[in-house]
Short mmCIF file of all heavy atoms in Angstrom, two decimals:
data_model
loop_
_atom_site.label_atom_id
_atom_site.label_comp_id
_atom_site.label_asym_id
_atom_site.label_seq_id
_atom_site.Cartn_x
_atom_site.Cartn_y
_atom_site.Cartn_z
N MET A 613 185.56 81.70 33.32
CA MET A 613 185.25 83.05 33.68
C MET A 613 186.51 83.85 33.84
O MET A 613 187.46 83.39 34.41
CB MET A 613 184.49 83.09 34.99
CG MET A 613 182.99 83.03 34.85
SD MET A 613 182.05 83.52 36.26
CE MET A 613 182.62 82.47 37.57
N GLU A 614 186.53 85.09 33.40
CA GLU A 614 187.66 85.93 33.55
C GLU A 614 187.34 87.00 34.61
O GLU A 614 186.54 87.89 34.44
CB GLU A 614 187.95 86.66 32.23
CG GLU A 614 188.65 85.83 31.25
CD GLU A 614 189.04 86.71 30.05
OE1 GLU A 614 188.92 87.90 30.12
OE2 GLU A 614 189.50 86.10 29.04
N GLY A 615 188.01 86.91 35.71
CA GLY A 615 187.91 87.90 36.77
C GLY A 615 186.51 88.26 37.15
O GLY A 615 185.64 87.46 37.42
N ASP A 616 186.26 89.56 37.15
CA ASP A 616 184.95 90.05 37.50
C ASP A 616 184.02 90.32 36.34
O ASP A 616 182.99 90.92 36.46
CB ASP A 616 185.09 91.42 38.26
CG ASP A 616 185.70 91.21 39.63
OD1 ASP A 616 185.48 90.15 40.21
OD2 ASP A 616 186.37 92.16 40.11
N MET A 617 184.42 89.82 35.15
CA MET A 617 183.60 90.07 33.96
C MET A 617 182.19 89.47 34.09
O MET A 617 181.26 90.02 33.62
CB MET A 617 184.30 89.43 32.71
CG MET A 617 185.52 90.20 32.26
SD MET A 617 185.10 91.83 31.61
CE MET A 617 184.39 91.34 30.05
N GLU A 618 182.12 88.33 34.73
CA GLU A 618 180.81 87.68 34.88
C GLU A 618 180.49 87.57 36.39
O GLU A 618 181.27 87.04 37.12
CB GLU A 618 180.80 86.32 34.23
CG GLU A 618 180.92 86.37 32.73
CD GLU A 618 180.89 85.00 32.11
OE1 GLU A 618 180.23 84.11 32.67
OE2 GLU A 618 181.50 84.82 31.08
N LYS A 619 179.32 88.01 36.78
CA LYS A 619 178.85 87.83 38.12
C LYS A 619 177.66 86.94 38.13
O LYS A 619 176.84 86.97 37.22
CB LYS A 619 178.46 89.17 38.75
CG LYS A 619 179.58 90.14 38.98
CD LYS A 619 179.04 91.39 39.61
CE LYS A 619 180.12 92.43 39.83
NZ LYS A 619 179.56 93.63 40.41
N VAL A 620 177.51 86.14 39.14
CA VAL A 620 176.34 85.30 39.27
C VAL A 620 175.32 86.07 40.08
O VAL A 620 175.61 86.51 41.23
CB VAL A 620 176.70 83.96 39.98
CG1 VAL A 620 175.43 83.15 40.17
CG2 VAL A 620 177.70 83.20 39.17
N VAL A 621 174.17 86.31 39.53
CA VAL A 621 173.10 87.06 40.19
C VAL A 621 172.24 85.99 40.86
O VAL A 621 171.67 85.13 40.18
CB VAL A 621 172.28 87.89 39.20
CG1 VAL A 621 171.14 88.57 39.92
CG2 VAL A 621 173.19 88.90 38.52
N GLU A 622 172.14 86.12 42.17
CA GLU A 622 171.31 85.13 42.94
C GLU A 622 169.84 85.33 42.62
O GLU A 622 169.36 86.47 42.38
CB GLU A 622 171.56 85.34 44.40
CG GLU A 622 172.97 85.08 44.86
CD GLU A 622 173.32 83.61 44.78
OE1 GLU A 622 172.47 82.77 45.07
OE2 GLU A 622 174.48 83.35 44.49
N ARG A 623 169.10 84.25 42.63
CA ARG A 623 167.66 84.33 42.45
C ARG A 623 167.08 84.91 43.69
O ARG A 623 167.57 84.69 44.81
CB ARG A 623 167.09 82.93 42.22
CG ARG A 623 167.56 82.32 40.90
CD ARG A 623 167.10 80.86 40.74
NE ARG A 623 165.68 80.79 40.49
CZ ARG A 623 165.07 80.94 39.29
NH1 ARG A 623 165.83 81.13 38.22
NH2 ARG A 623 163.76 80.80 39.19
N LYS A 624 166.05 85.71 43.52
CA LYS A 624 165.38 86.38 44.65
C LYS A 624 163.90 86.31 44.50
O LYS A 624 163.36 86.12 43.40
CB LYS A 624 165.88 87.79 44.81
CG LYS A 624 165.64 88.70 43.63
CD LYS A 624 166.12 90.09 43.80
CE LYS A 624 167.56 90.23 43.44
NZ LYS A 624 168.02 91.59 43.46
N PRO A 625 163.13 86.40 45.59
CA PRO A 625 161.67 86.40 45.49
C PRO A 625 161.18 87.60 44.72
O PRO A 625 161.53 88.75 44.99
CB PRO A 625 161.22 86.46 46.93
CG PRO A 625 162.36 87.02 47.72
CD PRO A 625 163.60 86.66 46.95
N VAL A 626 160.37 87.28 43.70
CA VAL A 626 159.95 88.35 42.74
C VAL A 626 158.90 89.26 43.34
O VAL A 626 159.05 90.48 43.33
CB VAL A 626 159.47 87.71 41.42
CG1 VAL A 626 158.90 88.77 40.47
CG2 VAL A 626 160.60 86.95 40.75
N ILE A 627 157.80 88.74 43.81
CA ILE A 627 156.69 89.60 44.30
C ILE A 627 157.11 90.47 45.42
O ILE A 627 156.89 91.66 45.38
CB ILE A 627 155.47 88.71 44.69
CG1 ILE A 627 154.87 88.05 43.42
CG2 ILE A 627 154.41 89.54 45.37
CD1 ILE A 627 153.74 87.12 43.70
N ALA A 628 157.74 89.92 46.43
CA ALA A 628 158.14 90.72 47.60
C ALA A 628 159.17 91.78 47.18
O ALA A 628 159.07 92.94 47.63
CB ALA A 628 158.76 89.83 48.66
N THR A 629 160.07 91.46 46.29
CA THR A 629 161.06 92.39 45.86
C THR A 629 160.45 93.56 45.10
O THR A 629 160.75 94.74 45.33
CB THR A 629 162.14 91.70 44.97
OG1 THR A 629 162.72 90.63 45.72
CG2 THR A 629 163.19 92.66 44.55
N LEU A 630 159.54 93.28 44.22
CA LEU A 630 158.86 94.29 43.38
C LEU A 630 158.00 95.17 44.27
O LEU A 630 158.01 96.40 44.14
CB LEU A 630 158.04 93.70 42.27
CG LEU A 630 158.79 92.98 41.21
CD1 LEU A 630 157.83 92.28 40.21
CD2 LEU A 630 159.72 93.90 40.43
N ARG A 631 157.26 94.62 45.18
CA ARG A 631 156.35 95.42 46.07
C ARG A 631 157.17 96.36 46.95
O ARG A 631 156.69 97.43 47.30
CB ARG A 631 155.54 94.51 46.92
CG ARG A 631 154.34 93.95 46.24
CD ARG A 631 153.50 93.09 47.15
NE ARG A 631 152.30 92.61 46.47
CZ ARG A 631 151.71 91.51 46.77
NH1 ARG A 631 152.14 90.77 47.77
NH2 ARG A 631 150.65 91.11 46.11
N ASN A 632 158.39 95.93 47.37
CA ASN A 632 159.17 96.72 48.31
C ASN A 632 160.12 97.73 47.68
O ASN A 632 160.85 98.42 48.38
CB ASN A 632 159.97 95.78 49.24
CG ASN A 632 158.99 95.04 50.18
OD1 ASN A 632 158.08 95.61 50.72
ND2 ASN A 632 159.23 93.74 50.34
N MET A 633 160.08 97.79 46.34
CA MET A 633 160.97 98.75 45.65
C MET A 633 160.50 100.18 45.86
O MET A 633 159.31 100.43 45.87
CB MET A 633 161.03 98.46 44.14
CG MET A 633 161.73 97.20 43.79
SD MET A 633 161.67 96.85 41.98
CE MET A 633 162.75 98.18 41.37
N LYS A 634 161.45 101.06 46.05
CA LYS A 634 161.18 102.52 46.13
C LYS A 634 161.15 103.09 44.72
O LYS A 634 161.83 102.59 43.85
CB LYS A 634 162.24 103.21 46.93
CG LYS A 634 162.43 102.63 48.35
CD LYS A 634 161.68 103.42 49.31
CE LYS A 634 161.98 102.96 50.73
NZ LYS A 634 160.89 102.38 51.43
N VAL A 635 160.37 104.18 44.55
CA VAL A 635 160.35 104.80 43.22
C VAL A 635 161.75 105.28 42.87
O VAL A 635 162.45 105.85 43.68
CB VAL A 635 159.36 106.03 43.24
CG1 VAL A 635 159.41 106.78 41.93
CG2 VAL A 635 157.99 105.57 43.53
N GLY A 636 162.17 104.95 41.63
CA GLY A 636 163.50 105.30 41.13
C GLY A 636 164.57 104.33 41.43
O GLY A 636 165.68 104.44 40.96
N SER A 637 164.23 103.20 42.16
CA SER A 637 165.27 102.22 42.47
C SER A 637 165.29 101.11 41.40
O SER A 637 164.32 100.91 40.68
CB SER A 637 165.00 101.63 43.85
OG SER A 637 163.81 100.92 43.85
N ASP A 638 166.39 100.43 41.33
CA ASP A 638 166.58 99.32 40.39
C ASP A 638 166.76 98.02 41.16
O ASP A 638 167.41 98.07 42.22
CB ASP A 638 167.85 99.54 39.50
CG ASP A 638 167.72 100.72 38.58
OD1 ASP A 638 166.63 101.05 38.17
OD2 ASP A 638 168.75 101.29 38.30
N GLU A 639 166.36 96.95 40.58
CA GLU A 639 166.66 95.57 41.09
C GLU A 639 167.18 94.78 39.95
O GLU A 639 166.64 94.90 38.82
CB GLU A 639 165.41 94.93 41.69
CG GLU A 639 164.99 95.41 43.06
CD GLU A 639 165.96 94.96 44.13
OE1 GLU A 639 166.73 94.02 43.95
OE2 GLU A 639 165.93 95.63 45.20
N VAL A 640 168.17 93.94 40.20
CA VAL A 640 168.73 93.13 39.16
C VAL A 640 168.35 91.68 39.47
O VAL A 640 168.57 91.17 40.56
CB VAL A 640 170.26 93.26 39.15
CG1 VAL A 640 170.83 92.36 38.06
CG2 VAL A 640 170.65 94.70 38.89
N PHE A 641 167.64 91.04 38.49
CA PHE A 641 167.26 89.63 38.59
C PHE A 641 168.07 88.83 37.58
O PHE A 641 168.49 89.32 36.55
CB PHE A 641 165.79 89.47 38.25
CG PHE A 641 164.86 90.09 39.25
CD1 PHE A 641 164.44 91.42 39.15
CD2 PHE A 641 164.34 89.33 40.30
CE1 PHE A 641 163.59 91.95 40.06
CE2 PHE A 641 163.46 89.88 41.23
CZ PHE A 641 163.11 91.21 41.12
N ASN A 642 168.25 87.55 37.90
CA ASN A 642 168.84 86.60 36.97
C ASN A 642 167.98 86.51 35.74
O ASN A 642 166.77 86.50 35.83
CB ASN A 642 168.97 85.25 37.67
CG ASN A 642 169.78 84.25 36.91
OD1 ASN A 642 169.46 83.96 35.75
ND2 ASN A 642 170.83 83.72 37.52
N ILE A 643 168.60 86.41 34.58
CA ILE A 643 167.85 86.35 33.32
C ILE A 643 166.89 85.13 33.29
O ILE A 643 165.83 85.18 32.64
CB ILE A 643 168.79 86.34 32.10
CG1 ILE A 643 168.00 86.65 30.80
CG2 ILE A 643 169.49 84.99 31.94
CD1 ILE A 643 167.71 88.08 30.61
N ASP A 644 167.18 84.11 34.05
CA ASP A 644 166.33 82.94 34.15
C ASP A 644 164.96 83.29 34.75
O ASP A 644 164.02 82.54 34.64
CB ASP A 644 166.97 81.80 34.95
CG ASP A 644 168.17 81.26 34.26
OD1 ASP A 644 168.30 81.40 33.05
OD2 ASP A 644 168.99 80.66 34.98
N GLN A 645 164.89 84.39 35.48
CA GLN A 645 163.63 84.81 36.11
C GLN A 645 162.81 85.79 35.27
O GLN A 645 161.81 86.31 35.71
CB GLN A 645 163.93 85.46 37.47
CG GLN A 645 164.44 84.48 38.52
CD GLN A 645 164.64 85.15 39.86
OE1 GLN A 645 165.64 85.86 40.05
NE2 GLN A 645 163.68 85.00 40.74
N LYS A 646 163.25 86.02 34.04
CA LYS A 646 162.58 87.04 33.19
C LYS A 646 161.08 86.75 33.03
O LYS A 646 160.27 87.64 33.18
CB LYS A 646 163.26 87.12 31.83
CG LYS A 646 162.60 88.19 30.93
CD LYS A 646 163.25 88.30 29.64
CE LYS A 646 162.58 89.38 28.80
NZ LYS A 646 163.24 89.67 27.55
N ILE A 647 160.71 85.54 32.66
CA ILE A 647 159.33 85.21 32.46
C ILE A 647 158.52 85.39 33.72
O ILE A 647 157.42 85.94 33.73
CB ILE A 647 159.16 83.77 31.89
CG1 ILE A 647 159.77 83.69 30.50
CG2 ILE A 647 157.71 83.31 31.88
CD1 ILE A 647 159.88 82.30 29.91
N THR A 648 159.10 84.99 34.87
CA THR A 648 158.42 85.14 36.14
C THR A 648 158.20 86.62 36.48
O THR A 648 157.15 87.03 36.89
CB THR A 648 159.20 84.44 37.24
OG1 THR A 648 159.35 83.08 36.91
CG2 THR A 648 158.48 84.55 38.56
N VAL A 649 159.25 87.41 36.27
CA VAL A 649 159.16 88.86 36.53
C VAL A 649 158.11 89.50 35.66
O VAL A 649 157.28 90.23 36.16
CB VAL A 649 160.56 89.53 36.35
CG1 VAL A 649 160.41 91.06 36.42
CG2 VAL A 649 161.55 89.08 37.40
N MET A 650 158.15 89.22 34.34
CA MET A 650 157.20 89.86 33.44
C MET A 650 155.78 89.46 33.75
O MET A 650 154.87 90.29 33.78
CB MET A 650 157.57 89.51 31.98
CG MET A 650 158.95 89.99 31.57
SD MET A 650 159.24 91.74 31.79
CE MET A 650 158.17 92.39 30.53
N ASN A 651 155.53 88.17 34.00
CA ASN A 651 154.19 87.70 34.33
C ASN A 651 153.74 88.26 35.65
O ASN A 651 152.54 88.59 35.79
CB ASN A 651 154.16 86.14 34.39
CG ASN A 651 154.16 85.55 33.03
OD1 ASN A 651 153.86 86.20 32.04
ND2 ASN A 651 154.55 84.29 32.93
N THR A 652 154.62 88.40 36.63
CA THR A 652 154.22 88.94 37.91
C THR A 652 153.79 90.40 37.77
O THR A 652 152.78 90.79 38.33
CB THR A 652 155.38 88.86 38.88
OG1 THR A 652 155.78 87.49 39.06
CG2 THR A 652 155.06 89.47 40.26
N ILE A 653 154.53 91.18 37.01
CA ILE A 653 154.21 92.57 36.82
C ILE A 653 152.86 92.70 36.09
O ILE A 653 151.99 93.50 36.45
CB ILE A 653 155.32 93.33 36.04
CG1 ILE A 653 156.56 93.50 36.98
CG2 ILE A 653 154.82 94.72 35.59
CD1 ILE A 653 157.75 94.04 36.27
N THR A 654 152.60 91.92 35.04
CA THR A 654 151.41 92.09 34.26
C THR A 654 150.15 91.41 34.87
O THR A 654 149.06 91.88 34.64
CB THR A 654 151.61 91.55 32.81
OG1 THR A 654 151.99 90.21 32.85
CG2 THR A 654 152.65 92.37 32.09
N CYS A 655 150.38 90.35 35.57
CA CYS A 655 149.21 89.57 36.09
C CYS A 655 149.02 89.61 37.60
O CYS A 655 147.93 89.87 38.09
CB CYS A 655 149.33 88.11 35.67
SG CYS A 655 149.37 87.89 33.89
N ARG A 656 150.08 89.32 38.37
CA ARG A 656 149.95 89.15 39.79
C ARG A 656 149.90 90.48 40.55
O ARG A 656 149.37 90.53 41.67
CB ARG A 656 151.12 88.34 40.35
CG ARG A 656 151.34 86.97 39.75
CD ARG A 656 150.38 85.91 40.30
NE ARG A 656 150.28 85.83 41.73
CZ ARG A 656 151.01 85.09 42.51
NH1 ARG A 656 151.96 84.33 42.02
NH2 ARG A 656 150.86 85.10 43.83
N LEU A 657 150.42 91.53 40.03
CA LEU A 657 150.45 92.80 40.71
C LEU A 657 149.42 93.80 40.19
O LEU A 657 149.65 95.01 40.17
CB LEU A 657 151.87 93.43 40.65
CG LEU A 657 152.96 92.60 41.38
CD1 LEU A 657 154.30 93.30 41.24
CD2 LEU A 657 152.62 92.41 42.83
N ASP A 658 148.29 93.28 39.73
CA ASP A 658 147.26 94.08 39.12
C ASP A 658 146.75 95.18 40.15
O ASP A 658 146.57 96.33 39.78
CB ASP A 658 146.09 93.26 38.66
CG ASP A 658 145.07 94.09 37.90
OD1 ASP A 658 145.49 94.77 36.93
OD2 ASP A 658 143.89 94.00 38.28
N LYS A 659 146.56 94.77 41.38
CA LYS A 659 146.08 95.68 42.40
C LYS A 659 147.05 96.85 42.61
O LYS A 659 146.67 98.01 42.66
CB LYS A 659 145.83 94.96 43.74
CG LYS A 659 145.37 95.84 44.88
CD LYS A 659 145.23 95.04 46.13
CE LYS A 659 144.91 95.92 47.28
NZ LYS A 659 144.83 95.16 48.56
N GLU A 660 148.35 96.49 42.65
CA GLU A 660 149.35 97.55 42.85
C GLU A 660 149.42 98.49 41.62
O GLU A 660 149.55 99.66 41.79
CB GLU A 660 150.72 96.88 43.05
CG GLU A 660 150.90 96.25 44.42
CD GLU A 660 150.30 94.82 44.51
OE1 GLU A 660 149.64 94.34 43.57
OE2 GLU A 660 150.45 94.22 45.57
N ARG A 661 149.28 97.93 40.42
CA ARG A 661 149.27 98.76 39.22
C ARG A 661 148.10 99.68 39.18
O ARG A 661 148.20 100.82 38.77
CB ARG A 661 149.36 97.85 37.97
CG ARG A 661 150.71 97.21 37.81
CD ARG A 661 150.89 96.39 36.53
NE ARG A 661 149.95 96.63 35.52
CZ ARG A 661 149.12 95.72 34.98
NH1 ARG A 661 149.13 94.49 35.42
NH2 ARG A 661 148.27 96.03 34.07
N ARG A 662 146.93 99.22 39.62
CA ARG A 662 145.77 100.07 39.68
C ARG A 662 146.00 101.26 40.63
O ARG A 662 145.38 102.30 40.47
CB ARG A 662 144.53 99.29 40.07
CG ARG A 662 143.95 98.48 38.94
CD ARG A 662 142.65 97.88 39.37
NE ARG A 662 142.90 97.10 40.63
CZ ARG A 662 142.39 95.91 40.89
NH1 ARG A 662 141.58 95.32 40.05
NH2 ARG A 662 142.67 95.30 42.01
N ASN A 663 146.79 101.01 41.66
CA ASN A 663 147.13 102.07 42.65
C ASN A 663 148.29 102.94 42.26
O ASN A 663 148.78 103.69 43.07
CB ASN A 663 147.35 101.44 44.03
CG ASN A 663 146.08 100.85 44.65
OD1 ASN A 663 144.99 101.38 44.37
ND2 ASN A 663 146.19 99.84 45.38
N GLY A 664 148.76 102.78 41.02
CA GLY A 664 149.78 103.68 40.49
C GLY A 664 151.20 103.20 40.47
O GLY A 664 152.09 103.88 40.06
N MET A 665 151.46 101.95 40.89
CA MET A 665 152.79 101.41 40.87
C MET A 665 153.11 100.97 39.44
O MET A 665 152.28 100.32 38.81
CB MET A 665 152.93 100.21 41.81
CG MET A 665 152.85 100.58 43.29
SD MET A 665 152.93 99.20 44.39
CE MET A 665 154.67 98.94 44.42
N LYS A 666 154.32 101.38 38.90
CA LYS A 666 154.71 100.98 37.56
C LYS A 666 156.20 100.59 37.54
O LYS A 666 156.98 101.22 38.31
CB LYS A 666 154.48 102.11 36.56
CG LYS A 666 153.01 102.44 36.34
CD LYS A 666 152.86 103.50 35.34
CE LYS A 666 151.37 103.85 35.24
NZ LYS A 666 151.09 104.98 34.41
N TRP A 667 156.57 99.66 36.72
CA TRP A 667 157.93 99.21 36.60
C TRP A 667 158.28 99.15 35.10
O TRP A 667 157.45 98.95 34.27
CB TRP A 667 158.08 97.79 37.16
CG TRP A 667 157.75 97.64 38.58
CD1 TRP A 667 158.63 97.71 39.64
CD2 TRP A 667 156.49 97.41 39.20
NE1 TRP A 667 157.97 97.52 40.85
CE2 TRP A 667 156.64 97.33 40.59
CE3 TRP A 667 155.17 97.25 38.66
CZ2 TRP A 667 155.58 97.09 41.46
CZ3 TRP A 667 154.13 97.05 39.53
CH2 TRP A 667 154.34 96.95 40.92
N THR A 668 159.59 99.32 34.81
CA THR A 668 160.09 99.07 33.50
C THR A 668 161.17 97.96 33.60
O THR A 668 161.78 97.81 34.67
CB THR A 668 160.74 100.31 32.86
OG1 THR A 668 161.84 100.73 33.67
CG2 THR A 668 159.72 101.42 32.72
N CYS A 669 161.34 97.21 32.52
CA CYS A 669 162.28 96.12 32.51
C CYS A 669 163.21 96.18 31.29
O CYS A 669 162.74 96.53 30.20
CB CYS A 669 161.59 94.78 32.45
SG CYS A 669 160.39 94.54 33.81
N ILE A 670 164.49 95.93 31.52
CA ILE A 670 165.48 95.88 30.45
C ILE A 670 166.26 94.60 30.60
O ILE A 670 166.76 94.27 31.70
CB ILE A 670 166.44 97.09 30.51
CG1 ILE A 670 165.67 98.41 30.39
CG2 ILE A 670 167.52 96.94 29.45
CD1 ILE A 670 166.50 99.61 30.62
N SER A 671 166.37 93.83 29.54
CA SER A 671 167.10 92.58 29.53
C SER A 671 168.53 92.84 28.99
O SER A 671 168.71 93.55 27.99
CB SER A 671 166.45 91.51 28.65
OG SER A 671 165.18 91.24 29.17
N ASP A 672 169.49 92.25 29.67
CA ASP A 672 170.87 92.30 29.20
C ASP A 672 171.40 90.90 29.10
O ASP A 672 171.84 90.33 30.07
CB ASP A 672 171.76 93.16 30.12
CG ASP A 672 173.13 93.40 29.60
OD1 ASP A 672 173.59 92.57 28.78
OD2 ASP A 672 173.75 94.35 30.02
N ARG A 673 171.24 90.30 27.93
CA ARG A 673 171.60 88.85 27.75
C ARG A 673 173.06 88.61 27.95
O ARG A 673 173.51 87.60 28.41
CB ARG A 673 171.15 88.38 26.40
CG ARG A 673 169.65 88.25 26.29
CD ARG A 673 169.25 87.17 25.32
NE ARG A 673 167.84 86.99 25.28
CZ ARG A 673 167.18 86.22 26.14
NH1 ARG A 673 167.81 85.54 27.04
NH2 ARG A 673 165.87 86.08 26.08
N GLU A 674 173.92 89.59 27.52
CA GLU A 674 175.33 89.43 27.70
C GLU A 674 175.76 89.29 29.13
O GLU A 674 176.63 88.49 29.45
CB GLU A 674 176.09 90.62 27.08
CG GLU A 674 176.04 90.58 25.55
CD GLU A 674 176.82 91.75 24.95
OE1 GLU A 674 177.70 92.35 25.64
OE2 GLU A 674 176.54 92.11 23.79
N LYS A 675 175.09 90.03 30.01
CA LYS A 675 175.37 89.97 31.43
C LYS A 675 174.55 88.88 32.10
O LYS A 675 174.79 88.55 33.29
CB LYS A 675 175.19 91.33 32.11
CG LYS A 675 176.18 92.35 31.65
CD LYS A 675 175.95 93.65 32.39
CE LYS A 675 176.93 94.71 31.89
NZ LYS A 675 176.68 96.01 32.52
N GLY A 676 173.51 88.45 31.46
CA GLY A 676 172.60 87.39 32.02
C GLY A 676 171.68 87.98 33.09
O GLY A 676 171.36 87.25 34.05
N VAL A 677 171.20 89.21 32.89
CA VAL A 677 170.35 89.80 33.92
C VAL A 677 169.15 90.50 33.32
O VAL A 677 169.15 90.82 32.10
CB VAL A 677 171.16 90.84 34.79
CG1 VAL A 677 172.26 90.19 35.54
CG2 VAL A 677 171.64 91.99 33.94
N ILE A 678 168.17 90.76 34.14
CA ILE A 678 167.07 91.64 33.81
C ILE A 678 167.03 92.69 34.86
O ILE A 678 167.08 92.41 36.05
CB ILE A 678 165.69 90.88 33.70
CG1 ILE A 678 164.55 91.82 33.38
CG2 ILE A 678 165.44 90.07 34.91
CD1 ILE A 678 163.24 91.17 33.08
N ILE A 679 166.98 93.99 34.44
CA ILE A 679 167.03 95.10 35.33
C ILE A 679 165.64 95.69 35.38
O ILE A 679 165.09 96.12 34.38
CB ILE A 679 168.05 96.15 34.91
CG1 ILE A 679 169.43 95.52 34.78
CG2 ILE A 679 168.06 97.37 35.86
CD1 ILE A 679 170.43 96.34 34.04
N VAL A 680 165.06 95.75 36.57
CA VAL A 680 163.71 96.27 36.76
C VAL A 680 163.85 97.62 37.53
O VAL A 680 164.56 97.71 38.52
CB VAL A 680 162.87 95.36 37.59
CG1 VAL A 680 161.47 95.89 37.79
CG2 VAL A 680 162.76 94.00 36.92
N THR A 681 163.20 98.65 37.00
CA THR A 681 163.19 99.95 37.63
C THR A 681 161.75 100.30 38.01
O THR A 681 160.88 100.16 37.20
CB THR A 681 163.72 101.02 36.63
OG1 THR A 681 165.03 100.66 36.18
CG2 THR A 681 163.78 102.38 37.30
N ARG A 682 161.58 100.79 39.25
CA ARG A 682 160.27 101.25 39.66
C ARG A 682 160.15 102.70 39.22
O ARG A 682 160.96 103.52 39.63
CB ARG A 682 160.17 101.10 41.18
CG ARG A 682 158.94 101.82 41.78
CD ARG A 682 157.88 100.89 42.17
NE ARG A 682 156.70 101.68 42.57
CZ ARG A 682 156.40 102.03 43.79
NH1 ARG A 682 157.17 101.60 44.79
NH2 ARG A 682 155.36 102.77 44.05
N VAL A 683 159.19 102.99 38.36
CA VAL A 683 159.04 104.38 37.85
C VAL A 683 157.95 105.17 38.52
O VAL A 683 157.97 106.38 38.45
CB VAL A 683 158.83 104.36 36.31
CG1 VAL A 683 160.05 103.85 35.61
CG2 VAL A 683 157.61 103.56 35.95
N SER A 684 157.04 104.53 39.21
CA SER A 684 156.03 105.29 40.00
C SER A 684 155.38 104.37 41.00
O SER A 684 155.59 103.17 41.00
CB SER A 684 154.99 105.93 39.12
OG SER A 684 154.16 104.96 38.53
#
């Protein structure tokens, strides 16, 4: 690793993190959690989605992260 070029993103609880996000905020997850994050948003948080909560996800393989933004 060269200096600050690569950061290790700690794993974090997905459901609690997504539910507690404020509109317009971002959370950065380790790329290893991508499948869990995507499945959680589409399947596990159905009740929240019906109540208007929405998220967008962007993967950055070079940095090894997935960035989730709460849009509503």
Side-chain angles (χ1 to χ4, degrees):
M613 269 196 305
E614 281 186 11
D616 290 331
M617 289 291 287
E618 293 181 30
K619 291 182 183 179
V620 176
V621 177
E622 297 291 325
R623 294 175 71 85
K624 57 180 87 172
V626 175
I627 292 176
T629 302
L630 294 174
R631 281 184 177 151
N632 292 317
M633 289 177 70
K634 304 263 187 245
V635 174
S637 65
D638 295 330
E639 283 290 339
V640 179
F641 291 89
N642 188 302
I643 196 77
D644 294 339
Q645 291 184 281
K646 181 178 180 176
I647 293 171
T648 303
V649 169
M650 300 303 291
N651 285 341
T652 299
I653 289 172
T654 58
C655 299
R656 302 282 311 270
L657 296 178
D658 186 54
K659 179 180 175 185
E660 288 81 356
R661 287 184 18 240
R662 282 187 305 222
N663 290 328
M665 293 176 81
K666 293 181 184 174
W667 300 265
T668 61
C669 302
I670 299 172
S671 298
D672 187 335
R673 291 210 175 273
E674 288 181 20
K675 293 182 182 177
V677 296
I678 178 172
I679 303 166
V680 178
T681 303
R682 168 104 187 265
V683 293
S684 68

